[in-house]
Amino acid sequence: MMEIENIVYPGFNKSLAELNAVKKNKKNSIEIIDFTEIEWVRDVLRHRFDEVGKYEIKFLKATEDEITQVSKLVGADKNGDELKNNFHKNKRIIGITSGKGGVGKSTITSLLGIAFDELGKKVGILDSDIWGFSIPKILGAKFPPIPFNERIFPSKINNLSVISMEYFVKQDEAVIWRGPMLHKAIEQFLFEVLWQDVDILLIDMPPGTGDVSISLSQFLKYFENIVVTTPQSNATIVAERSGIMSKKVNASIIGVIENMSYMQVNDSTIFPFGKDGGGNLSKKLDVPLLGSIPLNEDITIASERNNLFEVRDKEIFGTIKEIANAIIQHQPKKKPIDLTIK
Ligand code: ADP
């Protein structure tokens, strides 16, 4: 019977025993509490039961008491202000920015997430790139987030907790979103999503504009930024603007990552997008160059297969882990956000 109690409730990340969810456990028939009332969640649970034996399962509607109990257990009982004031506790919040699209910002956000996980951190990824949301696809998300008691459990992809605009906005609607809608969405994604267990929250920001930076600076006491650029000078010039934007809202910039820096072809190294862009940008912004990532076939193939996790077994992952380590080592001073106009 132990096996049954150990079954993990989708989204909640807790076992049936921890949630006190098994009501009746007779020989082959079991009654469990249905906390979500979502059919695919029931299906996943049925499937998990099938893996351990032949059971007839009955789902019972959760009572208010049961919902209250479990809300406490998963931290969904905190109210708005309490939650906002404690949001930074034990959590680094890192926005990944770029001047323009297509430089590999989402790919790097995902790779860093996978690397931090390998280094023992609990990772959340908030995909706020409304014009190019792609994180769930790159990582191969199977299930959407789960609403529970006016809060949302992020989608779990292996160990990573992921939330994306993709789950809430139709692709063709995204283009008509305006600043205020984005602002509201960021607030919900920060405070309605259950990020309780996360040590590092990575935010894939939309390129350029700075709207999300401004929103974050209004909701959070502080956050950090990483600027991604290619070596091309036009990419670094626009990236510089997004770096300057971070400084304006007084977010600390951890450093610059140069992507698509070079390419290994047989025994020679070529530089399809020029050289030194990342280094020059880091000097201009007066922050470290955290690393350079080559154009790499294993990254392209794994992304195309919607499973970037495959990169874990490849040589390139060493470089990604070094960068992740540099980020863990480098904790910029926590500057409170200053919104006075200068
Ligand atoms: P952005 O988020 O900046 O718009 P993406 O992360 O979507 O950019 O990357 C754009 C394209 O480039 C994707 O097809 C991605 O797979 C590819 N890509 C990004 N970085 C690399 C890399 N280092 N090597 C190979 N392909 C890459």
Side-chain angles (χ1 to χ4, degrees):
M1 283 307 156
M2 267 314 284
E3 276 172 318
I4 291 170
E5 296 272 325
N6 285 339
I7 288 175
V8 173
Y9 211 102
F12 291 61
N13 231 9
K14 298 216 180 293
S15 68
L16 296 180
E18 285 171 291
L19 296 174
N20 228 344
V22 180
K23 282 280 122 183
K24 228 186 234 162
N25 191 350
K26 283 194 205 150
K27 219 173 166 196
N28 290 324
S29 81
I30 291 172
E31 291 182 359
I32 53 175
I33 305 174
D34 188 4
F35 287 111
T36 66
E37 295 177 40
I38 298 172
E39 193 50 40
W40 73 258
V41 174
R42 291 184 198 129
D43 278 344
V44 172
L45 278 168
R46 282 188 199 106
H47 181 74
R48 291 192 180 154
F49 274 94
D50 281 349
E51 284 173 345
V52 290
K54 216 170 162 39
Y55 298 100
E56 194 187 313
I57 299 156
K58 197 174 161 202
F59 289 96
L60 306 172
K61 195 175 161 63
T63 64
E64 266 183 40
D65 269 358
E66 285 162 350
I67 290 183
T68 310
Q69 287 295 321
V70 167
S71 291
K72 272 193 201 135
L73 211 65
V74 298
D77 58 332
K78 308 267 184 301
N79 71 26
D81 282 345
E82 193 184 353
L83 187 79
K84 285 181 186 177
N85 292 333
N86 289 315
F87 195 73
H88 294 84
K89 242 190 194 165
N90 309 324
K91 203 187 266 92
R92 285 181 75 179
I93 301 160
I94 304 176
I96 319 287
T97 67
S98 68
K100 58 175 200 156
V103 300
K105 176 178 53 63
S106 302
T107 305
I108 288 178
T109 306
S110 306
L111 285 170
L112 286 177
I114 297 170
F116 285 133
D117 173 50
E118 290 257 323
L119 296 169
K121 302 285 177 194
K122 296 201 191 86
V123 183
I125 302 182
L126 193 170
D127 180 7
S128 75
D129 186 352
I130 185 91
W131 295 284
F133 36 63
S134 46
I135 301 271
K137 190 155 169 276
I138 299 177
L139 291 173
K142 288 196 185 69
F143 301 113
I146 300 174
F148 171 68
N149 200 19
E150 297 180 23
R151 305 289 295 283
I152 304 166
F153 286 109
S155 168
K156 275 268 170 198
I157 315 177
N158 294 334
N159 284 332
L160 308 187
S161 300
V162 176
I163 207 93
S164 170
M165 293 282 179
E166 182 173 349
Y167 298 121
F168 303 93
V169 191
K170 292 195 196 88
Q171 186 90 52
D172 51 352
E173 277 175 13
V175 287
I176 61 163
W177 271 44
R178 297 276 178 269
M181 281 168 88
L182 199 55
H183 186 75
K184 184 73 200 146
I186 296 294
E187 183 176 25
Q188 288 181 312
F189 280 4
L190 287 175
F191 303 123
E192 286 180 23
V193 174
L194 292 155
W195 297 117
Q196 263 76 351
D197 299 333
V198 162
D199 305 317
I200 300 181
L201 179 61
L202 298 173
I203 304 181
D204 186 8
M205 318 258 268
T209 69
D211 274 1
V212 172
S213 269
I214 294 169
S215 296
L216 286 177
S217 64
Q218 288 172 353
F219 295 129
L220 301 171
K221 293 198 187 82
Y222 56 84
F223 65 101
E224 305 168 48
N225 266 332
I226 289 172
V227 185
V228 177
T229 183
T230 60
Q232 281 158 310
S233 57
N234 62 348
T236 59
I237 289 163
V238 286
E240 191 182 339
R241 265 187 244 138
S242 97
I244 290 167
M245 181 68 212
S246 311
K247 291 202 161 163
K248 268 205 176 130
V249 297
N250 232 346
S252 321
I253 305 177
I254 307 172
V256 171
I257 297 176
E258 189 185 73
N259 190 27
M260 311 188 181
S261 302
Y262 57 91
M263 206 177 151
Q264 213 70 48
V265 184
N266 301 324
D267 282 338
S268 55
T269 305
I270 57 169
F271 300 87
F273 301 124
K275 278 187 190 175
D276 299 329
N280 292 338
L281 178 63
S282 73
K283 278 185 205 121
K284 276 192 187 144
L285 296 172
D286 193 23
V287 296
L289 178 65
L290 295 164
S292 301
I293 301 172
L295 260 172
N296 175 277
E297 206 181 10
D298 291 326
I299 294 180
T300 324
I301 293 171
S303 309
E304 289 289 309
R305 287 156 56 107
N306 298 339
N307 187 3
L308 199 59
F309 287 94
E310 288 175 1
V311 168
R312 271 187 300 204
D313 306 327
K314 310 289 183 196
E315 205 183 327
I316 184 73
F317 197 55
T319 308
I320 310 294
K321 275 214 286 207
E322 273 170 31
I323 297 175
N325 249 324
I327 296 167
I328 290 174
Q329 305 303 326
H330 180 84
Q331 290 252 21
K333 285 205 180 65
K334 291 170 185 168
K335 291 189 225 157
I337 286 166
D338 174 7
L339 274 180
T340 48
I341 295 165
K342 288 171 189 139

